[in-house]
Amino acid sequence: MSVNVGNVPDQATQEPGNGVGKFLLDPYKDWAEGEGIPIHYDFGHDLIALETGPWERYDAYGCFAHTHGMGDFMTNYVIEVRPTRKTRPVKHLYEAFFYVLTGHGSTSVWLPDGQVRTFEWGPKALFAIPLNCRYQIMNGSGVESARLSCTSNAPLLLNLFHNVDFVLDNDASFADRLGGSGHFEGGGEHSVYNQDSAKVQNVWETNFIHDLTSFKLYSFEGRGKGSLNVNFVLADGTMHSHVSQMPVGRYKKAHRHAAGTHVHAVDGEGYSLLWYEGDSEFKQFPWRHGFMYTPPFWMFHQHFNTGAQPARYLACSLGSRRYPFISLRRKSAEGSGAVSVSQGGRQIEYEDQDPRVHRMYLEALRESGVASEMSDIFDEAGIWSLPDEALTGVIRTPASTGPAV
């Protein structure tokens, strides 16, 4: 049987176009470059010090704080609202978490039924805008600029739909994302799952946290003795955030995960070490309030408190405890993030870590004048006496078993 398909030219005889501008497109990158504000790109940033420029979209000032580890789905930008000013009301289909770096002010959110919720904030507050709600940020000071860090999944939405108007000027409403009546005032609900295991997960659901430095945290010994933590579900979103605290004289266990986790130092002093399996040198990133960086995909990283007070940090990423979204985040939500590499997980236990890690920490504490509280784990006299040849070469990492996801 023959089928008449019309006069179709032979593919081999067709002249190809030059393809310029048709392939390898990045709609998010194009949008960011078209916003007309500075784009900073580095391993991490001091968000308080970054140069900003006039941003027409917000009628304020801003900049993009892009990082090497931002990955495919997440990004960060800074909004600066000058004294007595307010932003233009905006809305968007991407989810956004706002961490207040400096200043005092308020935010108004227009709900789908026409009601307006307004809440006041100061430094180190955290809030989320329910999906596609119109909002406006107001600076309540006559002398000080307000600067906010916004972590969002804008790359995911803009690259998925590759239509700016659909993402930034869409009339869709999501009444199920608004939360309870007190969620804009700092109220919320505390939940616990995996309660009877070492992988217990404490979750606080809300839209607004007044002050991350005083918010109640819960024991999370799986990441290290004295470690505290709480996970947030903000505006019923698919983005995740958590706050963790390290006690004085201690540090967290090394771990690795997907890209896109934006880590903000909240209070205290310290640093993070980062390395890939097989590296011979560590990358060190110092931190204090305002510093933010993102560990690249599958790069080990470890957080250290060198100050005289407990140190907290905020992490924002894709995949909440309610909606993990990707398989790596689901495994984290199930507790696999605190399982040893030697058991198919993503964490390096203290007894398996390279001796350079603790030696560097002891040297940092000597400079800060803080005593180590980890002699119950390490032979610190022995580590001080290690010869130079024991502190060089490929960074020791335990052999991984299984797919480590």
Side-chain angles (χ1 to χ4, degrees), residues 311-373:
R312 291 190 177 195
Y313 60 88
L314 165 72
C316 303
S317 59
L318 183 69
S320 69
R321 290 297 184 255
R322 176 167 293 156
Y323 308 106
F325 197 80
I326 59 177
S327 60
L328 276 173
R329 296 305 301 170
R330 179 172 291 278
K331 291 295 185 181
S332 293
E334 292 170 350
S336 295
V339 174
S340 171
V341 168
S342 62
Q343 298 176 8
R346 291 179 253 141
Q347 178 171 277
I348 297 177
E349 300 301 320
Y350 291 132
E351 62 268 22
D352 296 327
Q353 73 181 24
D354 192 286
R356 279 170 283 187
V357 172
H358 199 66
R359 174 70 171 265
M360 294 170 71
Y361 185 61
L362 292 176
E363 291 171 349
L365 290 185
R366 184 166 59 182
E367 289 187 15
S368 65
V370 175
S372 170
E373 298 293 337

Side-chain angles (χ1 to χ4, degrees), residues 191-353:
S191 301
V192 182
Y193 69 95
N194 290 343
Q195 191 163 5
D196 298 323
S197 75
K199 304 170 186 176
V200 61
Q201 301 280 323
N202 284 275
V203 182
W204 180 257
E205 182 174 0
T206 188
N207 297 342
F208 173 51
I209 296 97
H210 289 93
D211 184 358
L212 292 181
T213 66
S214 60
F215 194 84
K216 181 178 180 180
L217 306 183
Y218 303 87
S219 176
F220 187 45
E221 296 278 317
R223 191 69 84 204
K225 185 176 179 180
S227 177
L228 302 176
N229 169 279
V230 70
N231 301 287
F232 296 120
V233 169
L234 300 176
D236 196 30
T238 57
M239 278 173 48
H240 165 77
S241 66
H242 70 261
V243 169
S244 291
Q245 177 174 295
M246 295 174 285
V248 176
R250 290 189 175 272
Y251 56 83
K252 293 293 194 80
K253 297 176 182 178
H255 58 288
R256 60 186 178 183
H257 47 59
T261 298
H262 289 67
V263 180
H264 296 72
V266 173
D267 61 6
E269 298 177 358
Y271 62 92
S272 291
L273 290 181
L274 303 100
W275 70 98
Y276 286 112
E277 194 168 356
D279 283 352
S280 297
E281 300 289 339
F282 295 95
K283 182 174 183 62
Q284 184 167 324
F285 187 81
W287 49 263
R288 61 178 182 268
H289 171 61
F291 279 38
M292 180 276 293
Y293 79 100
T294 55
F297 179 82
W298 226 232
M299 191 176 195
F300 283 114
H301 50 283
Q302 194 164 8
H303 310 305
F304 300 79
N305 179 10
T306 61
Q309 303 294 328
R312 291 190 177 195
Y313 60 88
L314 165 72
C316 303
S317 59
L318 183 69
S320 69
R321 290 297 184 255
R322 176 167 293 156
Y323 308 106
F325 197 80
I326 59 177
S327 60
L328 276 173
R329 296 305 301 170
R330 179 172 291 278
K331 291 295 185 181
S332 293
E334 292 170 350
S336 295
V339 174
S340 171
V341 168
S342 62
Q343 298 176 8
R346 291 179 253 141
Q347 178 171 277
I348 297 177
E349 300 301 320
Y350 291 132
E351 62 268 22
D352 296 327
Q353 73 181 24

Side-chain angles (χ1 to χ4, degrees), residues 135-162:
Y135 65 96
Q136 184 174 42
I137 299 170
M138 291 153 279
N139 185 350
S141 171
V143 295
E144 180 186 16
S145 289
R147 188 172 279 226
L148 297 87
S149 167
C150 175
T151 305
S152 81
N153 61 358
L156 172 63
L157 271 295
L158 286 163
N159 287 335
L160 176 64
F161 293 109
H162 49 88

Side-chain angles (χ1 to χ4, degrees), residues 147-188:
R147 188 172 279 226
L148 297 87
S149 167
C150 175
T151 305
S152 81
N153 61 358
L156 172 63
L157 271 295
L158 286 163
N159 287 335
L160 176 64
F161 293 109
H162 49 88
N163 185 303
V164 173
D165 288 340
F166 184 82
V167 175
L168 301 178
D169 190 20
N170 194 309
D171 291 331
S173 62
F174 300 84
D176 57 327
R177 299 284 199 114
L178 304 181
S181 59
H183 283 196
F184 287 106
E185 288 77 48

